[in-house]
């Protein structure tokens, strides 16, 4: 699972980092902060005292024109050199053992969309 560790610039956690960027200015108290996108267990990182920020589905730009696309609340991700060039990716083969997805599930689309 991908999560963000937000640290002071120059401070690097001993975690599996996939992307590093300056914390965006829109984030309160972002001056001098760095976002490190880590692959691993966010709860273990919290237990070690690292400031963990959860990710949401979307695009996280880096400082050089690329970024990270995330979906599945951090289970699936792609590191990109540009918005269209995939450098690294993680897909369903890396699902945690305790999470299962239904490959052959029948979905009632009408009920799923038009719940009242």
């Amino acid at each position: 699972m991908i999560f963000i560790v937000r640290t002071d610039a120059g401070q690097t956690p001993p975690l599996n980092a996939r992307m590093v960027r300056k914390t965006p200015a829109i984030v309160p108290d972002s001056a001098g902060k760095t976002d490190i996108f880590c692959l691993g267990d966010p709860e273990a990182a919290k237990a070690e005292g690292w400031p963990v920020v959860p990710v949401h589905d979307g695009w996280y730009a880096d400082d050089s024109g690329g970024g990270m696309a995330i979906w599945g609340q951090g289970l699936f991700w792609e590191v990109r050199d540009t918005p269209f060039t995939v450098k690294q990716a993680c897909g369903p083969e890396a699902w945690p053992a305790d999470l299962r997805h239904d490959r052959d599930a029948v979905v009632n689309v009408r009920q799923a969309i038009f719940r009242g």
Side-chain angles (χ1 to χ4, degrees):
M1 177 169 288
I2 288 286
F3 57 94
I4 297 171
V5 172
R6 185 161 289 149
T7 65
D8 293 324
Q11 187 181 24
T12 305
L15 300 170
N16 191 352
R18 295 295 178 194
M19 187 180 88
V20 178
R21 70 174 186 183
K22 291 187 293 185
T23 301
I26 194 169
V27 175
D29 300 321
S30 63
K33 299 282 186 182
T34 300
D35 289 350
I36 303 170
F37 289 75
C38 300
L39 178 62
D41 181 1
E43 295 305 317
K46 282 182 192 176
E48 291 180 25
W50 293 104
V52 172
V53 177
V55 296
H56 304 284
D57 294 358
W59 173 253
Y60 295 81
D62 65 11
D63 300 325
S64 60
M68 182 175 277
I70 296 176
W71 64 100
Q73 303 304 320
L75 287 176
F76 303 96
W77 52 270
E78 294 175 346
V79 177
R80 298 179 180 192
D81 292 333
T82 72
F84 305 105
T85 308
V86 176
K87 180 178 166 183
Q88 271 184 332
C90 174
E93 67 279 357
W95 274 62
D98 58 336
L99 290 178
R100 303 287 301 155
H101 62 288
D102 292 329
R103 291 183 184 270
D104 300 318
V106 175
V107 176
N108 182 336
V109 176
R110 184 163 290 194
Q111 267 189 330
I113 295 173
F114 300 108
R115 286 215 161 144

